[in-house]
């Protein structure tokens, strides 16, 4: 029987609102364990046994759960007014569309959520020395306690923030070129289904920002690659950031992020005291610095509990 005005509300209809694991999804699949891009790790709501009356308390459990998700996503609902024992049963006309809207919000990583807080820097990796010749590569991993907790983190609006800077004892034009590449990216925030950069500038050579956690595989995906465009002598120098998972989404517990800085410029110079009059290759490159932090969901607007990364680690730090 359809859920329409004038019909009796059946237990299996209420149970579909609560527990459907296929479209149209129920509350528990959207806010509970879920799978893939649905699920926030919240407590599940009990279904009604066949033939039992649906009580005001049971309706209110569903409405309260939906209201909490609505608060976190910052998308208003119209079907969650509480009912009391003895009230006339009334159709909540917007309930079906409200549940569908909550599924949409969660499946896109709660893009309007504001109950988020930035962690301190969790890991810093710095090139061992200045003066590398071709490439500097750094990898940092971020690990979650379980595959579900990793999904719930991103589904709730959580992000992994990756920042690249450069440092040198005596800053040269080439050092400044690499600093400008890092500045051109700014905060690289890897979200559920997209990645954002906080800054602009430099030449965008590869744009993989449409990729997020749910798009990654066990092979590296380039999220962004910039080519230096502010210093003519070093306009072939690049900065690239890639990411991968240790397994498919739903099994993965680790994301690894890779920074690759390249210096194809020969940068030959006639140095002081060079009596032979021959140009030498001055490897005047800076120390590259990669940091990782997280943008964590909080309990401020309806979710409880929330989930965060359990650890980070330096995977590699090499130069050629």
């Amino acid at each position: 029987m359809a859920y329409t005005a004038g019909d009796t509300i059946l237990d299996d209809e209420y149970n579909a609102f609560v527990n459907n694991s296929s479209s149209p999804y129920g509350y528990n699949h959207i806010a509970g364990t879920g799978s893939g891009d649905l699920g926030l790790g919240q407590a599940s709501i009990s279904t009604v046994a066949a033939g039992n009356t649906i009580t005001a308390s049971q309706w209110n459990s569903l409405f309260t759960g939906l209201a909490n998700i609505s608060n976190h996503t910052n998308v208003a609902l119209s079907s969650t007014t509480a009912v009391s024992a003895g009230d006339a049963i009334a159709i909540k006309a917007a309930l079906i569309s409200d549940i569908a809207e909550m599924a949409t919000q969660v499946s896109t990583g709660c893009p309007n959520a504001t109950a988020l807080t930035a962690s301190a820097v969790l890991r810093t990796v710095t090139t061992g020395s200045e003066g590398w010749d071709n490439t500097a590569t750094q990898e940092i991993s971020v690990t979650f306690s379980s595959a579900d907790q990793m999904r719930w983190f991103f589904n709730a609006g959580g992000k992994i923030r990756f920042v690249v800077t450069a440092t040198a004892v005596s800053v040269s034009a080439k050092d400044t070129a690499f600093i400008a590449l890092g500045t051109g990216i700014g905060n690289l925030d890897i979200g559920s289904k997209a990645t954002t950069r906080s800054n602009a500038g430099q030449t965008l050579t590869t744009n993989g920002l449409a990729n997020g956690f749910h798009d990654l595989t066990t092979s590296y995906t380039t999220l962004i690659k910039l080519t230096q465009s502010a210093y003519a002598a070093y306009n072939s120098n690049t900065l690239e950031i890639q990411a991968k998972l240790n397994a498919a989404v739903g099994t993965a517990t680790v994301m690894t992020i890779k920074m690759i800085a390249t210096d194809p410029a020969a940068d030959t110079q006639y140095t002081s005291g060079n009596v032979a009059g021959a140009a030498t290759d001055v490897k005047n490159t800076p120390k590259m610095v990669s940091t990782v932090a997280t943008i964590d969901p909080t309990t401020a607007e309806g979710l409880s509990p929330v989930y965060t990364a359990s650890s980070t680690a330096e995977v590699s730090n090499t130069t050629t």
Side-chain angles (χ1 to χ4, degrees), residues 2-275:
Y3 181 66
T4 57
D7 290 342
T8 300
I9 301 171
L10 303 178
D11 55 79
D12 57 348
E13 291 168 343
Y14 173 83
N15 288 344
F17 297 142
V18 170
N19 218 34
N20 254 15
S21 58
S22 58
S23 182
Y25 297 105
Y27 171 85
N28 287 344
H29 196 70
I30 299 166
T33 300
S35 64
D37 59 10
L38 291 174
L40 295 170
Q42 305 303 289
S44 295
I45 296 172
S46 298
T47 55
V48 177
N52 283 9
T53 299
I54 306 164
T55 66
S57 175
Q58 288 164 330
W59 277 115
N60 286 338
S61 293
L62 176 58
F63 295 156
T64 298
L66 286 172
N68 286 339
I69 306 308
S70 170
N71 289 339
H72 180 74
T73 61
N74 284 312
V75 174
L77 302 180
S78 55
S79 65
T80 57
T81 303
V83 294
S84 301
D87 286 354
I89 297 297
I91 293 295
K92 295 291 185 181
L95 181 57
I96 294 174
S97 60
D98 280 349
I99 293 176
E101 178 59 27
M102 290 302 94
T104 297
Q105 292 298 312
V106 174
S107 70
T108 53
C110 298
N112 301 307
T114 54
L116 303 166
T117 186
S119 75
V121 171
L122 302 175
R123 182 72 53 177
T124 300
V125 177
T126 303
T127 305
S129 62
E130 300 178 40
W132 45 275
D133 194 18
N134 297 306
T135 63
T137 303
Q138 296 168 347
E139 293 173 288
I140 301 177
S141 65
V142 181
T143 300
F144 290 78
S145 295
S146 71
D148 280 340
Q149 289 195 22
M150 191 175 199
R151 288 191 306 106
W152 298 336
F153 169 84
F154 285 102
N155 292 352
K159 299 175 178 67
I160 294 177
R161 173 168 289 175
F162 196 78
V163 177
V164 179
T165 58
T167 182
V169 173
S170 179
V171 178
S172 67
K174 183 180 284 189
D175 297 332
T176 303
F178 278 107
I179 292 169
L181 284 168
T183 300
I185 295 175
N187 296 330
L188 192 77
D189 290 346
I190 306 170
S192 171
K193 291 190 173 179
T195 299
T196 61
R197 59 191 281 206
S198 63
N199 289 342
Q202 309 304 313
T203 299
L204 182 58
T205 307
T206 303
N207 184 355
L209 297 177
N211 294 293
F213 161 70
H214 284 285
D215 304 297
L216 298 179
T217 68
T218 54
S219 298
Y220 273 116
T221 295
T222 296
L223 301 176
I224 190 169
K225 182 177 181 179
L226 295 185
T227 300
Q228 208 287 132
S229 62
Y231 299 89
Y234 306 114
N235 278 356
S236 57
N237 290 12
T238 65
L239 177 61
E240 182 174 4
I241 300 177
Q242 305 174 341
K244 68 177 182 178
L245 303 177
N246 67 327
V249 172
T251 305
T253 57
V254 181
M255 180 186 293
T256 303
I257 307 162
K258 179 191 281 188
M259 182 283 299
I260 308 166
T262 65
D263 175 32
D267 202 24
T268 53
Q269 299 178 19
Y270 291 93
T271 56
S272 176
N274 188 343
V275 295

